[in-house]
Amino acid sequence: PQAASATADIRDCSMDPPYLPPTAVNTTARLAALRDIMQAHSVHAYIVPSTDAHMSEYIAERDSRLGWLTGFTGSAGTSVVTQDKAALWTDSRYWTQAERQLDCNWELQRTTWIESIGLWILKAVPVGGNISLDPFLFSIDTWKSYSQALHGSGRTLLPIENNLVDQVWGDQRPPPASSEIYTLPAAFTGSSWQEKVAGIRQQMEQHVRRPTAVLLSGLEETAWLFNLRGHDIPYNPVFYSYTLLTNTSISLFVDELRLSSAARQSLQAGCPGPLCVELQEYGQTRAYLRRYAQGNVTIWLGTEYTTYGLYGVIPQEKLLEDSYSPVMLAKAVKNPKEQELLRAAHVRDAVAVIQYLLWLEKMVPQGQVDEYSGAQHIDTLRQAQEHNRGPSFQSISASG
């Protein structure tokens, strides 16, 4: 009996009927609807990743396509759906969780290698078949890996720009972010956005290839460059945006209605001129980039954060590719002000942790605390510290 109760929280697909724990999500209808749309597009396999259009590690509910389709809510995974099979790949942190959340429509693949996903697809999809994905959800590097895995196999990798999962999700899909985008006070930055822009432009000038523009796709890049912050993704102070910074102009692609008046003022104080930020619609990034790329230009970008969907509109000879953009590298080097603020933040955090350990010493012997209430308590103690804007991830709390 003890063994049975220990495994009662994970699925057992070998039983008839299969045993599913109460945490498993029924995905039959979602898969059937997705397969109908795949058939209409002549797609034999559809790949669904766990990221968003900015390769964010953490994503908003609206971008949680993998979670909605499979029921699995871990932060990393890839799923592939064919007409008669569905599989999820994830790493060892999440195997138990996947067995609790997946129903028996899904095979769990205990690996994350693209090679293993590729091999599975080659077995599941006949020669002549189409394997599709949303080009705005795959980095250049990941796209190339899939391309390589399928190369010469007689199968076609076919990008489809309208996301098929979104079509099935329909109006059940959470709405886009609407909260305010605000400026970070000067006391927290150590340098103005104008100084940061000047530094990046200097790097462009000194580069042997003399790029005319830098494209920023990582959300933290734009937030750092302009000293702006937002709440679009839980635990991350970022907002949906792209930036195209040229030698003479700056285009920020963002929902401008969400900018606070101080943010807008800060960005447009230097207008017109080379330090004037022109606000463009977030959804127009690709069309704008395509037009810009028709000129005599060289666009510098980081392949880790740029999607294949954007990369694909820039002619190869006009590209300057690095793993990380110069902004991502500049952001990594903290100025003296930032170093001082980091140390101060760690001291404030240490105070909260010490208060927590004292509280635990008192409460545990009384049997008054479990992992969940403990995690809530440390969040409360941190929240009480000056300048706290919430944790950087959900507190992970375990004992024993």
Side-chain angles (χ1 to χ4, degrees):
Q2 203 178 352
S5 69
T7 57
D9 67 342
I10 66 170
R11 64 184 184 158
D12 184 349
C13 298
S14 65
M15 289 171 68
D16 188 23
Y19 169 74
L20 293 176
T23 45
V25 175
N26 182 344
T27 62
T28 303
R30 294 169 191 184
L31 279 168
L34 177 62
R35 285 172 172 143
D36 287 347
I37 291 182
M38 285 166 59
Q39 210 157 6
H41 284 82
S42 307
V43 168
H44 300 92
Y46 192 62
I47 308 173
V48 182
S50 58
T51 186
D52 63 12
H54 303 272
M55 302 296 106
S56 307
E57 183 186 357
Y58 290 81
I59 55 172
E61 208 43 44
R62 180 177 170 79
D63 284 312
S64 183
R65 298 172 179 92
L66 182 85
W68 180 80
L69 182 67
T70 65
F72 168 72
T73 59
S75 70
T78 303
S79 67
V80 181
V81 176
T82 67
Q83 282 304 333
D84 56 353
K85 285 194 171 84
L88 171 80
W89 283 257
T90 189
D91 64 75
S92 56
R93 292 174 298 171
Y94 292 122
W95 292 344
T96 305
Q97 180 177 339
E99 294 285 13
R100 288 174 180 167
Q101 293 183 316
L102 297 175
D103 65 8
C104 291
N105 287 310
W106 294 90
E107 300 168 18
L108 175 61
Q109 302 286 334
R110 295 166 190 263
T111 163
T112 54
W113 298 106
I114 288 178
E115 291 77 27
S116 93
I117 301 175
L119 287 170
W120 187 92
I121 290 173
L122 293 180
K123 272 200 203 111
V125 175
V127 171
N130 292 325
I131 291 106
S132 276
L133 44 74
D134 177 342
F136 293 100
L137 294 181
F138 289 82
S139 72
I140 297 161
D141 297 348
T142 310
W143 170 274
K144 286 179 177 169
S145 302
Y146 278 107
S147 200
Q148 227 165 345
L150 301 170
H151 183 71
S153 70
R155 283 92 170 160
T156 308
L157 193 56
L158 183 75
I160 294 183
E161 286 168 28
N162 285 339
N163 191 288
L164 304 189
V165 174
D166 293 352
Q167 291 177 46
V168 180
W169 206 347
D171 48 14
Q172 297 297 298
R173 190 179 171 210
S178 57
S179 59
E180 188 176 67
I181 299 165
Y182 57 96
T183 49
L184 195 63
F188 292 101
T189 62
S191 54
S192 68
W193 71 257
Q194 290 89 344
E195 289 166 340
K196 292 176 180 178
V197 164
I200 301 302
R201 281 180 169 157
Q202 196 178 349
Q203 285 192 51
M204 289 161 66
E205 252 167 69
Q206 290 167 354
H207 197 286
V208 57
R209 291 265 322 265
R210 300 299 288 269
T212 59
V214 177
L215 174 66
L216 307 181
S217 290
L219 297 182
E220 60 270 47
E221 299 182 286
T222 288
W224 176 85
L225 185 65
F226 296 116
N227 294 328
L228 295 176
R229 297 293 184 268
H231 303 289
D232 292 8
I233 296 179
Y235 309 112
N236 291 261
V238 295
F239 51 92
Y240 291 105
S241 56
Y242 294 96
T243 299
L244 188 69
L245 170 64
T246 80
N247 345 40
T248 54
S249 68
I250 310 165
S251 300
L252 170 58
F253 300 86
V254 69
D255 177 359
E256 62 172 289
L257 297 175
R258 296 172 51 208
L259 289 167
S260 71
S261 53
R264 184 185 289 262
Q265 229 170 330
S266 146
L267 296 172
Q268 302 202 305
C271 294
L275 285 173
C276 165
V277 179
E278 291 163 26
L279 300 172
Q280 310 280 354
E281 271 179 64
Y282 174 77
Q284 291 302 308
T285 310
R286 189 182 188 213
Y288 188 99
L289 193 60
R290 177 180 267 142
R291 278 198 306 277
Y292 179 77
Q294 286 168 358
N296 180 19
V297 298
T298 302
I299 300 167
W300 196 359
L301 53 76
T303 55
E304 291 277 335
Y305 289 87
T306 310
T307 62
Y308 184 76
L310 287 181
Y311 174 82
V313 303
I314 307 168
Q316 202 62 44
E317 69 278 5
K318 296 181 180 183
L319 274 167
L320 169 56
E321 296 177 49
D322 276 319
S323 291
Y324 299 100
S325 81
V327 170
M328 203 58 106
L329 296 178
K331 170 185 165 293
V333 182
K334 306 303 177 194
N335 63 44
K337 179 79 184 166
E338 288 169 323
Q339 292 181 31
E340 174 199 322
L341 292 167
L342 277 171
R343 290 189 192 101
H346 274 286
V347 170
R348 291 195 300 275
D349 193 64
V351 171
V353 174
I354 291 164
Q355 290 171 331
Y356 178 60
L357 294 174
L358 272 170
W359 179 81
L360 275 185
E361 276 176 30
K362 259 201 266 214
M363 301 304 280
V364 171
Q366 302 172 25
Q368 291 296 304
V369 61
D370 59 24
E371 281 107 327
Y372 184 68
S373 62
Q376 284 183 301
H377 189 68
I378 195 164
D379 287 348
T380 308
L381 292 170
R382 287 185 160 132
Q383 202 69 57
Q385 289 294 330
E386 196 187 2
H387 307 310
N388 183 287
R389 301 301 287 251
S392 60
F393 53 85
Q394 193 174 359
S395 287
I396 297 171
S397 169
S399 67

